[in-house]
Amino acid sequence: MATSAERRRRIYDILLDEKSVEVNELSKSFDVSTMTIRRDLAIFEKQGIVSTNYGGAQLNEGTAIEPSFSLKSGQMAEKKKTMGYEASKLIQDGESVIIDCGTTTLQTAKHLQGKRITVITNSLVVGNILQGYPKIKLIMAPGIYDEKSAGFIGAMTIDFFHKFNADKAFIGAQGFDLCRGVTVPDELDAEVKKAMAVSSKQKILIAGHEKCGVSFFSKILDIDELDFIITDDLLGKKDADALRQKGVNVITAH
């Protein structure tokens, strides 16, 4: 039987595909009680992901909605690993890098063992991994813990990043669009990511192909402000060429 976290990730995948779910059907599919499914959906509703009714739930698709870190971590896991590996190849010994919160930037951190670098991050999970790598000088950003990103955000976090002049910033986002730029649902999260970008010589976005052409509530950067976009090999040639025409280096991870 799946764990509760695995079950919720699978329910979330169903919601993304079908836009709605029914309690009785999920109860049978996962071999759990209807009460257990209702508790799962109540958690989603608290996060703003769904609107529940007596028989089930409907996916909310507004531009200000973001799923939790645990839900995002189960999506396109293998693609995220390859993107994280490609991102790590851009990092050289002696560099200082900023690593954003996110499930894909987390994969970048996992490939940094053995590199002699300085890493500045607001991600608790990234920090937990890198604290075990003896060659890495780890600097943790302060702030208010945010469950959705599994990291720290807030005014303290923004002020903290403005103190640095890093070589590279690896930034995650929920969407990137030629006209609307790089975006996330939360305006405070966007301001933190802007501070990371301003504090770095190179700005590198890590985002899967499914985020291309998608926009959310709060803008971080224009596309042409990026130096690199690291994405997966499912990004269409037309989209990749259009991004390159904006002056961005596009790396597709295989």
Side-chain angles (χ1 to χ4, degrees), residues 180-200:
R180 294 181 173 87
V182 184
T183 55
V184 290
D186 183 81
E187 64 274 16
L188 187 55
D189 187 29
E191 290 302 317
V192 171
K193 294 173 191 291
K194 282 181 188 176
M196 292 178 179
V198 167
S199 302
S200 300

Side-chain angles (χ1 to χ4, degrees), residues 57-184:
Q58 187 86 21
L59 181 68
N60 293 330
E61 297 185 272
T63 61
I65 295 166
E66 181 176 6
S68 68
F69 184 90
S70 62
L71 287 179
K72 289 183 287 189
S73 65
Q75 295 178 284
M76 296 184 65
E78 290 304 315
K79 295 292 185 186
K80 289 176 181 179
K81 289 177 183 177
T82 60
M83 285 188 281
Y85 174 66
E86 288 296 329
S88 72
K89 288 161 62 177
L90 295 177
I91 302 172
Q92 307 299 318
D93 281 356
E95 289 188 327
S96 57
V97 299
I98 293 173
I99 299 181
D100 190 11
C101 294
T103 55
T104 310
T105 49
L106 171 61
Q107 295 301 323
T108 303
K110 289 181 178 180
H111 290 97
L112 297 182
Q113 190 166 16
K115 291 184 185 287
R116 193 175 296 278
I117 57 175
T118 297
V119 175
I120 311 155
T121 184
N122 63 330
S123 168
L124 184 60
V125 286
V126 167
N128 284 337
I129 288 172
L130 296 185
Q131 58 85 27
Y133 295 174
K135 291 184 179 180
I136 290 179
K137 179 181 179 180
L138 175 63
I139 302 173
M140 292 297 302
I144 299 169
Y145 182 73
D146 176 58
E147 184 182 3
K148 292 193 299 297
S149 59
F152 302 96
I153 63 172
M156 283 187 292
T157 320
I158 295 166
D159 290 343
F160 175 82
F161 279 115
H162 281 311
K163 297 175 182 177
F164 296 96
N165 181 28
D167 292 299
K168 296 179 173 77
F170 294 86
I171 298 169
Q174 293 299 102
F176 61 99
D177 180 85
L178 286 171
C179 297
R180 294 181 173 87
V182 184
T183 55
V184 290

Side-chain angles (χ1 to χ4, degrees), residues 201-219:
K201 295 174 185 175
Q202 287 191 331
K203 302 157 184 56
I204 302 160
L205 175 68
I206 311 178
H209 77 282
E210 77 284 359
K211 297 178 180 179
C212 183
V214 178
S215 61
F216 284 82
F217 181 65
S218 299
K219 183 176 175 179

Side-chain angles (χ1 to χ4, degrees), residues 7-22 26 30 37 40-45 47-52 56-61 67 71 75:
R7 183 181 64 251
R8 287 169 194 150
R9 284 196 290 266
R10 286 161 62 185
I11 291 172
Y12 181 63
D13 287 339
I14 294 169
L15 279 161
L16 291 177
D17 288 339
E18 301 182 10
K19 311 306 179 188
S20 64
V21 291
E22 293 185 6
L26 292 177
F30 292 100
I37 296 298
D40 292 339
L41 296 179
I43 290 171
F44 291 168
E45 186 169 45
Q47 295 175 11
I49 295 169
V50 302
S51 296
T52 59
Q58 187 86 21
L59 181 68
N60 293 330
E61 297 185 272
L71 287 179
Q75 295 178 284

